[in-house]
Amino acid sequence: EKLKLERPDYTARAVDWTKDLEGKARIAPETFSFTRCCLAYPSPNQDGAWSYYPGLIYYPHPETKPGTNAHNFNALEILTSEVPNLVYGTTASVICRADAFVPF
């Protein structure tokens, strides 16, 4: 399901991150929001134990994303420290405030 970050913890508005670029590389300023979260996954070699990593869910606002820089809005992007032994296909959970997201 596509989700919209409705109540972020932080918002950076009109970030002009390509201001020094020219031509097709130059895009309009964008808005990004972040909400605190925790990434949890089963600890390797510890029966039943889970590891927890605090982080932020990154959300680029679709209304400020040009078509040339599209984002897949049914995927969550998590900013956190390196998570040892977490590999593609590992079951993981993302924990955040219940009121942070609404269906897109």
Side-chain angles (χ1 to χ4, degrees), residues 20-66:
D20 295 332
L21 302 177
E22 297 177 9
K24 290 183 180 180
R26 176 78 170 103
I27 60 173
E30 301 179 68
T31 297
F32 304 94
S33 287
F34 305 87
T35 193
R36 289 183 296 268
C37 71
C38 185
L39 177 68
Y41 82 103
S43 298
N45 305 320
Q46 294 182 19
D47 190 35
W50 284 66
S51 294
Y52 298 89
Y53 293 84
L56 295 169
I57 297 171
Y58 160 80
Y59 181 83
H61 287 250
E63 66 275 12
T64 65
K65 300 286 288 178

Side-chain angles (χ1 to χ4, degrees), residues 1-96:
E1 180 174 350
K2 294 181 180 181
L3 298 173
K4 177 182 178 188
L5 183 55
E6 185 72 17
R7 292 175 187 85
D9 293 312
Y10 313 101
T11 298
R13 299 188 189 286
V15 177
D16 196 1
W17 62 277
T18 64
K19 67 181 176 183
D20 295 332
L21 302 177
E22 297 177 9
K24 290 183 180 180
R26 176 78 170 103
I27 60 173
E30 301 179 68
T31 297
F32 304 94
S33 287
F34 305 87
T35 193
R36 289 183 296 268
C37 71
C38 185
L39 177 68
Y41 82 103
S43 298
N45 305 320
Q46 294 182 19
D47 190 35
W50 284 66
S51 294
Y52 298 89
Y53 293 84
L56 295 169
I57 297 171
Y58 160 80
Y59 181 83
H61 287 250
E63 66 275 12
T64 65
K65 300 286 288 178
T68 58
N69 194 16
H71 177 79
N72 185 352
F73 288 96
N74 61 354
L76 287 178
E77 293 186 46
I78 309 298
L79 305 173
T80 189
S81 60
E82 183 177 349
V83 181
N85 302 310
L86 183 64
V87 296
Y88 184 79
T90 302
T91 298
S93 296
V94 177
I95 303 163
C96 70

